[in-house]
Amino acid sequence: MPLKAQYEFLVFLLLAVLVLEYVGRRLKLPPAASFITGGMLLAFLPGVPKVEIDPDLIMLVFLPPLLMSSAYFTAWRDFKAQLRGIVSLALGAVIFTTVSTGMVLHLLLPGLPLAVCFAIGAIVSPPDAVAATAVLRKLNLPNRLLSLLEGESLINDATGLVLFGIAVAAAVTGLFSASRAFERFLWLSIGGTAVGLVTGWLGMIIIRRLGETELVITATLLLSTASYICAEAIGGSGVLSTVATGLVVSWHQHDAVYASTRVRAHSFWKSLVFILESFLFILIGLSLREVLHRINSGDAQALYANAVPVAAVIVTVVLARFVWLGMCALTIWPWRHLGRTSGRDMAANLTIIGWSGMRGVVTLAAALSFPSDLPGRDLVLLSSFAVIVVTVLIQGSTLAPLARILGVAASAEHLAREENKTAVRKRLAAFRHQSLQRNLEEKGFDHEGDILDQRSLQTYQANQMRSHRPVMSISK
């Protein structure tokens, strides 16, 4: 396709984003569901060009800014408070889902190599950060529960991609070493996190010296991609590196960047994330035609032969998350931080956590990067696309009604009261900030006064950033 035609198609997709977002809001559908459905319908319209997704390009162009944004707007205190639950879901649940899916496929297809079965399990095991955030931020969930799910979505992609790399290496070489796999897992995790922390620290040194709003925002955007590329260059996890960089920037933003710059950065990142997420989900829908074309040129016999294994993968992926949560609930250890809740409330919270496992772009990118010379590629593509569509369309569309039925989401009256409280806190913070500024202008800017002003700005900006989400608690 000529370059001009590609640009015109890009403009057409941007128009489709606006239309699908409007239709989705009128029908009260999650954005991910409306975009994927719209992309699937567009894929079979005459004149729509064939869309091939380059997994490396998707991971490099789309994923770092989206991960950076999620980490940047993550409250560090909430993330630290939910750390045990986040690790349990991002590490334990992903590994358990990978093993469960691999064993089920091996039982159904004994002729398929075990390493390939585990590779499929690793592909579909991590809930996607983009899909989860796009759905969860539309719900009126308690802050603690929302922080847990968003924190999980930041880290679990790295676990799934590491397991996928280990399984593919075992399938290609025919050898598997538990010790070498563990060493690689440690290096990817520790190396990626270390690169992210260093990149974030160096980036903040540069950002402190820039000053201008446009330069600061551009540098922050550049940091996300730089962190990802540097970690991948040394064999570390680019996902963990970008998340670590985002957390460092989020931690130091209040004493390194002016409040006016942070407000403008918030608007920029909100618009950027909306465009990137929308394009990603539409591309997933558009890729359906190409996925079917790769399945033996749309051979109906191949589709029928893979129907039972694909259905088994979908059921296993959904049930494995609930089984893991049930086993963890017996110990109560990861979930103590959810607050003092009754058994009924705890069951409702865990049900929402279990039903929040939407898959997305990372699953599709990993499936497309599966080596074509290995057996089972048709099953890999079909299973991955089916899991994405089912989890996003069914789980994503029913999550809000389920939360209301279980009493987890806030009622309209409670939400109004919390919004009023938040508005009062914002006005008080703004008044305190203005008072401090007047006092400092009269008395001069000494070191102690500068610190007080920074704290005031931090309080004021925190309330501004959270104005779209009321402060709530699960505990009664």
Side-chain angles (χ1 to χ4, degrees), residues 67-145:
L67 289 172
M68 183 75 171
S69 174
S70 298
Y72 179 80
F73 293 113
T74 295
W76 176 255
R77 183 177 61 181
D78 295 339
F79 183 86
K80 183 179 179 181
Q82 311 295 335
L83 189 58
R84 288 181 298 177
I86 291 173
V87 171
S88 175
L89 292 174
L91 188 63
V94 171
I95 295 176
F96 181 76
T97 303
T98 299
V99 174
S100 301
T101 305
M103 295 305 298
V104 168
L105 280 176
H106 188 62
L107 291 176
L108 291 175
L109 303 172
L112 191 66
L114 186 60
V116 174
C117 295
F118 283 132
I120 296 176
I123 290 173
V124 299
S125 61
D128 187 65
V130 178
T133 304
V135 174
L136 293 174
R137 68 181 175 205
K138 300 295 183 180
L139 304 180
N140 300 320
L141 296 179
N143 270 1
R144 295 178 182 178
L145 186 58

Side-chain angles (χ1 to χ4, degrees), residues 84-289:
R84 288 181 298 177
I86 291 173
V87 171
S88 175
L89 292 174
L91 188 63
V94 171
I95 295 176
F96 181 76
T97 303
T98 299
V99 174
S100 301
T101 305
M103 295 305 298
V104 168
L105 280 176
H106 188 62
L107 291 176
L108 291 175
L109 303 172
L112 191 66
L114 186 60
V116 174
C117 295
F118 283 132
I120 296 176
I123 290 173
V124 299
S125 61
D128 187 65
V130 178
T133 304
V135 174
L136 293 174
R137 68 181 175 205
K138 300 295 183 180
L139 304 180
N140 300 320
L141 296 179
N143 270 1
R144 295 178 182 178
L145 186 58
L146 192 60
S147 298
L148 173 66
L149 293 171
E150 289 181 344
E152 176 210 1
S153 67
L154 288 175
I155 301 176
N156 57 14
D157 288 341
T159 306
L161 292 174
V162 169
L163 295 176
F164 171 68
I166 294 173
V168 168
V172 172
T173 62
L175 301 174
F176 175 76
S177 172
S179 60
R180 293 193 63 183
F182 182 71
E183 291 175 358
R184 184 180 179 188
F185 185 86
L186 284 181
W187 173 248
L188 284 165
S189 304
I190 298 175
T193 304
V195 170
L197 294 175
V198 172
T199 304
W201 178 70
L202 294 175
M204 291 310 302
I205 294 177
I206 297 174
I207 287 175
R208 291 176 195 274
R209 288 170 165 76
L210 293 178
E212 296 294 332
T213 299
E214 294 79 7
L215 297 179
V216 170
I217 295 176
T218 303
T220 307
L221 180 61
L222 181 62
L223 273 180
S224 62
T225 304
S227 178
Y228 187 92
I229 292 176
C230 291
E232 292 290 327
I234 67 168
S237 170
V239 173
L240 287 179
S241 178
T242 307
V243 170
T245 299
L247 291 175
V248 170
V249 174
S250 175
W251 177 261
H252 292 286
Q253 62 172 315
H254 298 292
D255 58 2
V257 181
Y258 293 116
S260 58
T261 300
R262 294 200 299 272
V263 172
R264 295 175 185 175
H266 175 71
S267 301
F268 167 80
W269 280 102
K270 187 176 181 180
S271 301
L272 178 65
V273 167
F274 170 75
I275 294 174
L276 292 179
E277 286 180 353
S278 305
F279 270 96
L280 274 179
F281 288 123
I282 288 182
L283 289 175
I284 290 175
L286 287 172
S287 66
L288 172 63
R289 185 171 63 183

